[in-house]
């Protein structure tokens, strides 16, 4: 069995994330959406909320599970017998960020990273853009699931 993890902060989980997950579900026996914390980011949602949003967004894909990640990704992958890390790339800027991480993960855990190009129709979507549009009263229905949109609206209303 081949197990892949798609790590990220998913604050919130977007349709771009969902596209990568669906495509990975066609490539691997088991896909784990790994929700983690990045020390350089300030989150709108707690890790528990982000896990729940990802679970709701991927509920109809049987081979997908969502888990919270903690610690070093490479070490987590070894402990959970994950074969490959998958990262979505929206642009060359993402590649510049992801390639050094892939090298470090290989050195630390001897784990391969696959960089999967984002569907061009979704390449403009990021969690940051979703939050900015939603916070300013814009329509994010094409960027996130209905469940995520509802949660965003509730969070904004306070």
């Amino acid at each position: 069995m081949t197990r892949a993890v798609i790590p990220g902060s998913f604050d919130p989980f977007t349709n771009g994330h969902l596209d990568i997950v669906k495509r990975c579900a066609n490539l691997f026996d088991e896909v784990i959406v790994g929700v983690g914390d990045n020390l350089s980011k300030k989150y709108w949602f707690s890790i528990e909320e982000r896990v729940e949003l990802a679970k709701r967004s991927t509920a109809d894909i049987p081979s997908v599970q969502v888990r919270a990640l903690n610690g070093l990704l490479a070490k987590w992958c070894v402990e959970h017998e994950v074969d490959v890390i998958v990262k979505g790339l929206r642009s060359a800027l993402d590649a510049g960020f992801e390639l050094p991480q892939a090298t470090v993960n290989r050195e630390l855990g001897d784990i391969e990273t696959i960089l999967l190009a984002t569907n061009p129709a979704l390449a403009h979507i990021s969690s940051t853009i979703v939050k900015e549009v939603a916070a300013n009263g814009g329509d994010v229905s094409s960027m996130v699931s209905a469940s995520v949109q509802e949660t965003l609206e509730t969070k904004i209303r306070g």
Side-chain angles (χ1 to χ4, degrees):
M1 178 182 344
T2 305
R3 298 177 84 193
V5 64
I6 305 169
S9 52
F10 307 110
D11 186 47
F13 196 87
T14 70
N15 288 343
H17 297 134
L18 183 60
D19 177 65
I20 295 293
V21 171
K22 285 180 177 179
R23 290 165 56 201
C24 284
N26 290 326
L27 297 171
F28 302 101
D29 299 317
E30 185 178 340
V31 176
I32 301 166
V33 175
V35 181
D37 282 327
N38 181 330
L39 297 175
S40 66
K41 292 186 177 183
K42 183 177 177 182
Y43 295 107
W44 274 29
F45 299 98
S46 69
I47 195 160
E48 294 81 11
E49 290 171 314
R50 289 181 280 131
V51 165
E52 183 58 30
L53 291 173
K55 281 182 179 179
R56 284 192 244 146
S57 296
T58 60
D60 64 338
I61 312 169
S63 61
V64 173
Q65 55 185 283
V66 179
R67 294 187 191 171
L69 292 177
N70 52 18
L72 287 173
L73 177 59
K75 184 177 177 183
W76 188 93
C77 288
V78 170
E79 290 170 359
H80 293 87
E81 300 178 340
V82 171
D83 304 295
V84 65
I85 298 166
V86 179
K87 299 295 295 240
L89 296 181
R90 292 172 302 207
S91 69
L93 289 174
D94 285 348
F97 179 77
E98 297 298 347
L99 287 171
Q101 284 191 358
T103 301
V104 169
N105 286 327
R106 181 158 181 141
E107 285 180 11
L108 293 175
D110 196 29
I111 185 156
E112 294 292 344
T113 300
I114 294 175
L115 304 175
L116 191 58
T118 299
N119 176 339
L122 302 171
H124 65 288
I125 300 172
S126 70
S127 294
T128 300
I129 287 174
V130 167
K131 289 182 287 194
E132 185 71 24
V133 171
N136 287 289
D139 180 10
V140 295
S141 61
S142 66
M143 299 181 209
V144 297
S145 69
S147 176
V148 171
Q149 182 177 5
E150 181 180 317
T151 303
L152 273 167
E153 290 169 356
T154 301
K155 178 74 82 175
I156 291 165
R157 284 193 304 267

